[in-house]
Amino acid sequence: MTAAAIHSHMFLGEEHGKSERKTWAVIWLCAVMMVAEIVGGLLFGSIALVADGLHMSTHAGALMLAALAYTYARRHAADPRFTFGTGKLGDLAGFTSAIILAMIALLIGYESVARLYAPVPIHFAEAIPVACLGLAVNIASAWLLSGGGHHDHGHAHGHSHGHGHSHGNEHGLDETRIIATADGDVLLEVFEDGVPPRFRLRAQSGPALMASSVSIETFRPDGARRTFAFKDIGEGLESVDEIPEPHAFEANVTINGRAHRVAFEEHEHAHGKAARDNNMRAAVVHVVADAAVSVLVIVGLILASAFGWLWVDPLAGIIGAVVIASWALGLIRDTSAVLLDMNPDRGMADNLRRTIESEGDELADLHLWRLGPGHLGAIVSVVTPTRRGEDYYRARLSRFRSLSHLTIEVRKAA
């Protein structure tokens, strides 16, 4: 088997490691509060405090599902038994969490309706402080899950598939092209590793390039043209001027008096539902739903205590149940779509079709599905009257950076 036939099936989200650590941190917070409330309730004789501690245990248990999914997916990401990696494990955990949330909503709704018809005495002096404590824990949990703006890109698009295009690597390569010249192959790349983007050229075979014998002229769709001169940087040549945005243009690369035409296109990444981490979303929904119920309970208890409106407390429960059910159904819809391999990004599918058919070929079949957060798989069947091969279409689709696993079938038109 050649190196080009071997590729990674690491389809975890960009912030998988960070999300895993955040979820475990929230679980520890809930566990500490659970023990404190149960012990405090038993010592001071507060059944409300004990009840909230037991409720906190269910909260930690639901988040445990998300944390274990992150850990298992990371540890088994390279397991060959998973044909397309473990990127979908988070969606499975999110789907399960959504089912649990829906069941919780039904239980809250049932209990609230029952209390409308059969009110029970409320110990306001204990219930209100406990509800406020629960709200504080939920706010702290939501803050921890939000991450505070720090980004960990340990699982960014650094996987290479050996299919003739680059997804970015440790050298910060953004776009690469191989130019065949009479003296050997030349590598052309747009380099932007923490610096303004510039062209870089270096000989892969044959003699080294001379800066005086190389130039590039770009042609943009709006008619703008620009010529780039080069300087020697030791390991190759680099353009003197930086490349302005956007990086969508055609270029005439002149090497030793001979021109070579190449094209650069803007990258297209998965966005919206295709890039969303449904496991983290489920954890956040669980915490926010609990916080929303805490707010409604506090308002209901205060009104019931101040005006004697005991019906406000179960009404708040009913409203909370409806809100949680709505969020749970949305999560069930999105995660089940991933598990059933529904098209995750119709806009990208349309762009794929336009890219293939822009030069007279026919896209006979297209399957696009999600492998993990920000990672898509695609099977493309092309019918062409030309002699173009798989590598040609793979190069054409290289700008779709979220296509982490691409299979191309080329058939000759009748």
Side-chain angles (χ1 to χ4, degrees):
M1 182 178 292
T2 65
I6 303 173
H7 55 267
S8 168
H9 286 144
M10 183 79 70
F11 302 133
L12 306 183
E14 288 190 2
E15 298 192 352
H16 186 96
K18 178 185 175 185
S19 298
E20 180 182 351
R21 292 191 296 273
K22 290 190 299 184
T23 308
W24 281 112
V26 172
I27 290 172
W28 279 110
L29 172 64
C30 293
V32 170
M33 290 304 302
M34 173 191 74
V35 172
E37 287 185 324
I38 293 176
V39 172
L42 293 175
L43 288 176
F44 301 115
S46 172
I47 191 63
L49 206 55
V50 173
D52 195 66
L54 294 175
H55 167 73
M56 194 65 66
S57 70
T58 64
H59 187 61
L63 291 173
M64 181 75 74
L65 180 64
L68 291 176
Y70 279 125
T71 301
Y72 188 91
R74 173 177 54 80
R75 290 181 177 177
H76 295 270
D79 192 328
R81 293 178 300 170
F82 297 96
T83 305
F84 286 107
T86 55
K88 279 188 179 180
L89 199 62
D91 299 292
L92 180 60
F95 178 82
T96 307
S97 293
I99 297 295
I100 295 173
L101 276 172
M103 294 174 63
I104 291 174
L106 288 174
L107 290 173
I108 293 175
Y110 174 81
E111 182 67 20
S112 299
V113 170
R115 290 197 177 193
L116 275 177
Y117 292 98
V120 298
I122 301 175
H123 302 282
F124 297 106
E126 290 182 336
I128 293 177
V130 168
C132 291
L133 179 61
L135 177 60
V137 173
N138 286 318
I139 291 174
S141 298
W143 179 80
L144 284 173
L145 291 176
S146 69
H150 174 69
H151 296 283
D152 176 9
H153 295 285
H155 289 281
H157 300 282
H159 51 278
S160 175
H161 288 223
H163 289 323
H165 64 277
S166 168
H167 284 265
N169 58 25
E170 68 273 18
H171 299 297
L173 303 186
D174 187 36
E175 284 280 9
T176 61
R177 299 288 187 272
I178 302 296
I179 302 174
T181 71
D183 297 321
D185 291 342
V186 173
L187 177 67
L188 168 65
E189 61 196 39
V190 174
F191 186 86
E192 48 181 340
D193 184 12
V195 296
R198 284 180 167 83
F199 288 115
R200 283 194 176 181
L201 278 166
R202 70 172 182 269
Q204 285 198 314
S205 59
L209 299 173
M210 302 292 292
S212 59
S213 63
V214 172
S215 68
I216 291 180
E217 185 177 15
T218 59
F219 304 84
R220 295 182 179 272
D222 60 2
R225 302 170 67 168
R226 183 167 182 173
T227 301
F228 294 82
F230 283 80
K231 62 183 179 181
D232 196 319
I233 58 172
E235 56 185 23
L237 305 181
E238 183 178 85
S239 61
V240 176
D241 298 323
E242 63 184 70
I243 308 170
E245 296 285 354
H247 296 168
F249 48 78
E250 290 192 350
N252 263 348
V253 184
T254 302
I255 301 175
N256 295 326
R258 294 189 177 183
H260 307 268
R261 193 84 164 190
V262 296
F264 289 89
E265 296 178 292
E266 281 287 271
H267 304 161
E268 183 166 339
H269 295 275
H271 56 277
K273 294 180 180 179
R276 180 184 295 161
D277 184 346
N278 284 319
N279 195 24
M280 177 54 66
R281 179 186 172 200
V284 171
V285 166
H286 189 95
V287 169
V288 172
D290 220 21
V293 171
S294 295
V295 171
L296 290 170
V297 167
I298 291 169
V299 172
L301 289 173
I302 291 175
L303 291 176
S305 175
F307 303 102
W309 299 343
L310 297 182
W311 53 268
V312 175
D313 182 60
L315 178 62
I318 293 173
I319 295 173
V322 171
V323 171
I324 294 174
S326 174
W327 290 342
L329 289 176
L331 192 55
I332 289 172
R333 180 188 65 245
D334 293 343
T335 52
S336 61
V338 175
L339 297 175
L340 293 173
D341 291 332
M342 290 181 66
N343 186 335
D345 194 333
R346 292 185 179 181
M348 180 175 287
D350 292 339
N351 290 339
L352 281 167
R353 180 176 296 276
R354 281 193 291 269
T355 300
I356 292 294
E357 297 184 342
S358 63
E359 296 184 356
D361 298 320
E362 178 189 353
L363 184 61
D365 197 13
L366 171 64
H367 297 275
L368 186 66
W369 72 99
R370 184 174 130 141
L371 301 167
H375 296 277
L376 304 181
I379 299 175
V380 178
S381 180
V382 183
V383 178
T384 177
T386 70
R387 292 186 176 183
R388 295 167 182 159
E390 173 193 342
D391 289 343
Y392 173 83
Y393 297 103
R394 197 172 293 282
R396 291 279 292 162
L397 299 179
S398 63
R399 71 184 180 91
F400 296 94
R401 290 306 179 92
S402 297
L403 292 184
S404 301
H405 196 286
L406 177 61
T407 303
I408 299 176
E409 176 193 39
V410 182
R411 289 184 286 158
K412 185 74 173 178

Short mmCIF file of all heavy atoms in Angstrom, two decimals, residues 284-310:
data_model
loop_
_atom_site.label_atom_id
_atom_site.label_comp_id
_atom_site.label_asym_id
_atom_site.label_seq_id
_atom_site.Cartn_x
_atom_site.Cartn_y
_atom_site.Cartn_z
N VAL A 284 -24.62 22.13 27.58
CA VAL A 284 -25.00 23.53 27.84
C VAL A 284 -26.52 23.65 27.98
O VAL A 284 -27.03 24.35 28.86
CB VAL A 284 -24.48 24.43 26.71
CG1 VAL A 284 -25.06 25.84 26.85
CG2 VAL A 284 -22.96 24.50 26.73
N VAL A 285 -27.27 22.96 27.10
CA VAL A 285 -28.74 23.02 27.17
C VAL A 285 -29.22 22.50 28.51
O VAL A 285 -30.13 23.06 29.13
CB VAL A 285 -29.36 22.22 26.01
CG1 VAL A 285 -30.85 21.97 26.26
CG2 VAL A 285 -29.18 22.97 24.70
N HIS A 286 -28.59 21.42 28.99
CA HIS A 286 -28.99 20.87 30.28
C HIS A 286 -28.77 21.89 31.40
O HIS A 286 -29.66 22.10 32.25
CB HIS A 286 -28.18 19.60 30.58
CG HIS A 286 -28.67 18.85 31.78
ND1 HIS A 286 -29.56 17.81 31.71
CD2 HIS A 286 -28.42 19.02 33.10
CE1 HIS A 286 -29.83 17.36 32.91
NE2 HIS A 286 -29.13 18.08 33.79
N VAL A 287 -27.62 22.54 31.40
CA VAL A 287 -27.30 23.52 32.45
C VAL A 287 -28.22 24.74 32.35
O VAL A 287 -28.77 25.22 33.35
CB VAL A 287 -25.82 23.95 32.34
CG1 VAL A 287 -25.54 25.14 33.23
CG2 VAL A 287 -24.91 22.78 32.71
N VAL A 288 -28.40 25.26 31.13
CA VAL A 288 -29.23 26.44 30.93
C VAL A 288 -30.69 26.14 31.27
O VAL A 288 -31.40 26.98 31.85
CB VAL A 288 -29.09 26.96 29.48
CG1 VAL A 288 -30.09 28.08 29.21
CG2 VAL A 288 -27.67 27.47 29.24
N ALA A 289 -31.16 24.95 30.89
CA ALA A 289 -32.53 24.57 31.21
C ALA A 289 -32.73 24.53 32.73
O ALA A 289 -33.75 25.00 33.26
CB ALA A 289 -32.84 23.21 30.60
N ASP A 290 -31.76 23.97 33.43
CA ASP A 290 -31.83 23.93 34.89
C ASP A 290 -31.84 25.34 35.47
O ASP A 290 -32.57 25.63 36.43
CB ASP A 290 -30.65 23.13 35.44
CG ASP A 290 -31.05 22.24 36.60
OD1 ASP A 290 -32.25 21.94 36.71
OD2 ASP A 290 -30.16 21.86 37.38
N ALA A 291 -31.00 26.23 34.90
CA ALA A 291 -30.96 27.61 35.37
C ALA A 291 -32.28 28.32 35.11
O ALA A 291 -32.78 29.07 35.97
CB ALA A 291 -29.81 28.36 34.68
N ALA A 292 -32.88 28.07 33.94
CA ALA A 292 -34.16 28.71 33.62
C ALA A 292 -35.25 28.26 34.59
O ALA A 292 -36.06 29.07 35.05
CB ALA A 292 -34.55 28.36 32.18
N VAL A 293 -35.26 26.97 34.90
CA VAL A 293 -36.25 26.46 35.86
C VAL A 293 -36.01 27.08 37.24
O VAL A 293 -36.96 27.43 37.94
CB VAL A 293 -36.18 24.92 35.93
CG1 VAL A 293 -37.02 24.40 37.08
CG2 VAL A 293 -36.66 24.32 34.61
N SER A 294 -34.73 27.23 37.63
CA SER A 294 -34.41 27.84 38.93
C SER A 294 -34.95 29.27 39.00
O SER A 294 -35.52 29.68 40.02
CB SER A 294 -32.90 27.83 39.16
OG SER A 294 -32.40 26.52 39.27
N VAL A 295 -34.78 30.03 37.92
CA VAL A 295 -35.29 31.41 37.90
C VAL A 295 -36.81 31.42 38.04
O VAL A 295 -37.38 32.20 38.82
CB VAL A 295 -34.86 32.11 36.59
CG1 VAL A 295 -35.57 33.46 36.45
CG2 VAL A 295 -33.36 32.32 36.56
N LEU A 296 -37.48 30.56 37.27
CA LEU A 296 -38.94 30.50 37.35
C LEU A 296 -39.41 30.09 38.74
O LEU A 296 -40.39 30.63 39.27
CB LEU A 296 -39.47 29.51 36.29
CG LEU A 296 -39.34 29.97 34.83
CD1 LEU A 296 -39.66 28.82 33.88
CD2 LEU A 296 -40.25 31.16 34.56
N VAL A 297 -38.70 29.12 39.33
CA VAL A 297 -39.07 28.67 40.68
C VAL A 297 -38.90 29.79 41.69
O VAL A 297 -39.77 29.99 42.56
CB VAL A 297 -38.21 27.44 41.07
CG1 VAL A 297 -38.35 27.15 42.56
CG2 VAL A 297 -38.64 26.22 40.26
N ILE A 298 -37.78 30.53 41.60
CA ILE A 298 -37.54 31.64 42.54
C ILE A 298 -38.64 32.69 42.42
O ILE A 298 -39.19 33.16 43.44
CB ILE A 298 -36.16 32.26 42.29
CG1 ILE A 298 -35.06 31.28 42.68
CG2 ILE A 298 -36.00 33.56 43.07
CD1 ILE A 298 -33.68 31.70 42.24
N VAL A 299 -38.98 33.06 41.19
CA VAL A 299 -40.05 34.05 40.97
C VAL A 299 -41.37 33.54 41.53
O VAL A 299 -42.11 34.27 42.22
CB VAL A 299 -40.18 34.38 39.48
CG1 VAL A 299 -41.41 35.26 39.23
CG2 VAL A 299 -38.92 35.08 38.96
N GLY A 300 -41.66 32.26 41.24
CA GLY A 300 -42.92 31.69 41.72
C GLY A 300 -42.99 31.64 43.25
O GLY A 300 -44.02 31.95 43.85
N LEU A 301 -41.87 31.27 43.86
CA LEU A 301 -41.85 31.19 45.33
C LEU A 301 -42.01 32.57 45.96
O LEU A 301 -42.71 32.73 46.98
CB LEU A 301 -40.54 30.54 45.79
CG LEU A 301 -40.40 29.03 45.52
CD1 LEU A 301 -39.00 28.56 45.87
CD2 LEU A 301 -41.45 28.25 46.31
N ILE A 302 -41.35 33.56 45.38
CA ILE A 302 -41.44 34.92 45.94
C ILE A 302 -42.88 35.44 45.84
O ILE A 302 -43.43 36.01 46.81
CB ILE A 302 -40.46 35.86 45.22
CG1 ILE A 302 -39.02 35.49 45.58
CG2 ILE A 302 -40.73 37.31 45.59
CD1 ILE A 302 -37.97 36.29 44.81
N LEU A 303 -43.52 35.24 44.69
CA LEU A 303 -44.90 35.70 44.51
C LEU A 303 -45.85 34.93 45.43
O LEU A 303 -46.78 35.52 46.03
CB LEU A 303 -45.32 35.54 43.05
CG LEU A 303 -44.64 36.46 42.04
CD1 LEU A 303 -45.07 36.13 40.63
CD2 LEU A 303 -44.97 37.92 42.36
N ALA A 304 -45.62 33.62 45.54
CA ALA A 304 -46.48 32.82 46.42
C ALA A 304 -46.32 33.23 47.86
O ALA A 304 -47.28 33.29 48.63
CB ALA A 304 -46.15 31.34 46.24
N SER A 305 -45.07 33.56 48.26
CA SER A 305 -44.82 33.96 49.64
C SER A 305 -45.39 35.35 49.94
O SER A 305 -45.96 35.58 51.02
CB SER A 305 -43.31 33.96 49.90
OG SER A 305 -43.02 34.46 51.19
N ALA A 306 -45.27 36.26 48.97
CA ALA A 306 -45.70 37.64 49.20
C ALA A 306 -47.21 37.81 49.13
O ALA A 306 -47.79 38.58 49.92
CB ALA A 306 -45.02 38.57 48.19
N PHE A 307 -47.86 37.12 48.17
CA PHE A 307 -49.30 37.35 47.94
C PHE A 307 -50.16 36.13 48.21
O PHE A 307 -51.39 36.19 48.04
CB PHE A 307 -49.51 37.81 46.49
CG PHE A 307 -48.74 39.05 46.12
CD1 PHE A 307 -47.58 38.96 45.39
CD2 PHE A 307 -49.19 40.30 46.55
CE1 PHE A 307 -46.87 40.10 45.04
CE2 PHE A 307 -48.48 41.44 46.21
CZ PHE A 307 -47.32 41.35 45.45
N GLY A 308 -49.54 35.03 48.60
CA GLY A 308 -50.32 33.84 48.87
C GLY A 308 -50.80 33.13 47.61
O GLY A 308 -51.71 32.30 47.68
N TRP A 309 -50.20 33.45 46.47
CA TRP A 309 -50.61 32.82 45.21
C TRP A 309 -49.89 31.48 45.05
O TRP A 309 -48.89 31.35 44.36
CB TRP A 309 -50.26 33.71 44.02
CG TRP A 309 -50.95 35.05 44.04
CD1 TRP A 309 -52.03 35.43 44.77
CD2 TRP A 309 -50.55 36.22 43.30
NE1 TRP A 309 -52.37 36.73 44.53
CE2 TRP A 309 -51.48 37.25 43.62
CE3 TRP A 309 -49.53 36.50 42.40
CZ2 TRP A 309 -51.39 38.52 43.09
CZ3 TRP A 309 -49.45 37.76 41.85
CH2 TRP A 309 -50.37 38.76 42.19
N LEU A 310 -50.39 30.46 45.67
CA LEU A 310 -49.73 29.16 45.60
C LEU A 310 -49.73 28.58 44.19
O LEU A 310 -48.89 27.74 43.86
CB LEU A 310 -50.41 28.19 46.57
CG LEU A 310 -50.33 28.55 48.07
CD1 LEU A 310 -51.00 27.47 48.91
CD2 LEU A 310 -48.87 28.73 48.49
#
